[in-house]
Amino acid sequence: GALLALNKPPGLPILGRPGDLSLDALLPALRQRLGLAAELHVVKAPAREYSGLVLLSSCYHTTKKLQQFFTNARLKGQYPATYRAITVGVPAEVEGEIRTGLCWQQHGDRAMVVPVPALGRRSLARKDVKSTLTRYRVLGTVGGCALLQLQPRTAFPEQLQVHLTLLLCPALGDHEHSSRVGRVLGVPFFLTPETAPTRTQVLDEELLSRLGLSPRRLHHLPLHVHLQELVLP
């Protein structure tokens, strides 16, 4: 009917400035190619860094109805969006939940999303900090990496990447948060943002070889988080 699903590559933003390449800027050409009479609206889409399902609609009322459904589903504790991620490292538990507060914090000239383990009533009331939850399950492991299923209960920018670092298993291609996972004698531990400046993800020689990458090309490696499934009413 009115719905159209696409598979978005990583790095493509949903919205952009005039003249920039974005999904929104491509919609008129897509509408013309498909011969649709009505404009296309974005119902649900992954963040810029993620790949995966983009749900579009050519009916304004369908768009609003589905967007309200996704909002209500989160409030009811349902998991209508399922992601897959490849992680560097394997979680200690096969499945579980990651709960933490998240907030924006200024570090020098840039703002970063950081975890806040101890949630205070005042900060939650002022909405300085948001309580977040992601359910995860390990689907497979090989060579010190894992394929995870992720179901976010809440929505916060970069939530999945931060939650994976709290598991001490950052997403492959995460050049924003992976530096917060350090190692001593092969044992991972969590570093605070103050002690771990953002840098290109560090991978061992064996993994680089399996990926066919040189250290010089590593910064081109995209984030391996993929919106795999959306459940519709």
Side-chain angles (χ1 to χ4, degrees), residues 156-215:
F156 197 89
E158 303 172 24
Q159 172 178 320
L160 296 182
Q161 296 105 291
V162 177
H163 281 188
L164 289 173
T165 63
L166 292 172
L167 276 182
L168 304 179
C169 300
L172 183 65
D174 185 354
H175 308 301
E176 183 74 21
H177 301 279
S178 61
S179 59
R180 298 182 195 171
V181 179
R183 287 183 180 274
V184 172
L185 300 176
V187 179
F189 65 97
F190 186 77
L191 291 161
T192 62
E194 293 81 10
T195 58
T198 298
R199 54 173 165 76
T200 300
Q201 188 174 33
V202 176
L203 302 177
D204 61 39
E205 291 183 8
E206 182 182 351
L207 184 51
L208 281 173
S209 176
R210 297 182 71 170
L211 290 168
L213 282 175
S214 67

Side-chain angles (χ1 to χ4, degrees), residues 8 15 33 41 59 99 121 124 135 138 154 161 166 168 191 194 201 206 214 217 219 223 225 228:
K8 185 184 86 68
L15 299 173
R33 179 175 292 189
H41 309 280
C59 171
R99 295 174 181 267
R121 290 184 180 179
L124 287 171
R135 180 182 292 170
V138 178
T154 52
Q161 296 105 291
L166 292 172
L168 304 179
L191 291 161
E194 293 81 10
Q201 188 174 33
E206 182 182 351
S214 67
R217 301 278 301 170
H219 66 280
L223 182 68
V225 178
Q228 175 82 10

Side-chain angles (χ1 to χ4, degrees), residues 83-85 87 91 136-139 146-150 164 167:
Y83 292 77
R84 297 277 174 93
T87 61
Y136 77 90
R137 183 159 62 93
V138 178
L139 302 177
L147 175 65
L148 265 60
Q149 174 181 291
L150 302 169
L164 289 173
L167 276 182

Side-chain angles (χ1 to χ4, degrees), residues 26-228:
L26 295 171
L27 291 183
L30 180 63
R31 172 190 172 190
Q32 186 177 11
R33 179 175 292 189
L34 296 176
L36 299 176
E39 288 185 11
L40 286 168
H41 309 280
V42 178
V43 179
K44 184 81 172 173
R48 173 181 185 146
E49 299 83 4
Y50 301 168
S51 60
L53 272 170
V54 172
L55 192 63
L56 304 173
S57 168
S58 59
C59 171
Y60 176 80
H61 296 292
T62 300
T63 300
K64 290 301 176 187
K65 181 180 178 182
L66 287 174
Q67 287 176 340
Q68 190 61 51
F69 162 75
F70 286 120
T71 300
N72 292 341
R74 282 201 302 268
L75 295 174
K76 294 176 182 176
Q78 298 170 351
Y79 298 84
T82 300
Y83 292 77
R84 297 277 174 93
I86 295 176
T87 61
V88 180
V90 179
E93 302 291 337
V94 175
E95 60 182 304
E97 293 182 343
I98 311 151
R99 295 174 181 267
T100 188
L102 291 179
C103 73
W104 286 99
Q105 197 174 91
Q106 198 71 27
H107 288 270
D109 59 351
R110 59 180 301 179
M112 297 179 63
V113 179
V114 299
V116 183
L119 294 177
R121 290 184 180 179
R122 289 184 180 179
S123 59
L124 287 171
R126 293 197 308 265
K127 298 185 179 180
D128 296 336
V129 179
K130 181 171 181 178
S131 179
T132 60
L133 167 65
T134 300
R135 180 182 292 170
Y136 77 90
R137 183 159 62 93
V138 178
L139 302 177
T141 64
V142 63
C145 294
L147 175 65
L148 265 60
Q149 174 181 291
L150 302 169
Q151 292 179 309
R153 162 84 182 273
T154 52
F156 197 89
E158 303 172 24
Q159 172 178 320
L160 296 182
Q161 296 105 291
V162 177
H163 281 188
L164 289 173
T165 63
L166 292 172
L167 276 182
L168 304 179
C169 300
L172 183 65
D174 185 354
H175 308 301
E176 183 74 21
H177 301 279
S178 61
S179 59
R180 298 182 195 171
V181 179
R183 287 183 180 274
V184 172
L185 300 176
V187 179
F189 65 97
F190 186 77
L191 291 161
T192 62
E194 293 81 10
T195 58
T198 298
R199 54 173 165 76
T200 300
Q201 188 174 33
V202 176
L203 302 177
D204 61 39
E205 291 183 8
E206 182 182 351
L207 184 51
L208 281 173
S209 176
R210 297 182 71 170
L211 290 168
L213 282 175
S214 67
R216 193 176 299 175
R217 301 278 301 170
L218 190 53
H219 66 280
H220 291 297
L221 185 68
L223 182 68
H224 282 56
V225 178
H226 182 81
L227 179 51
Q228 175 82 10

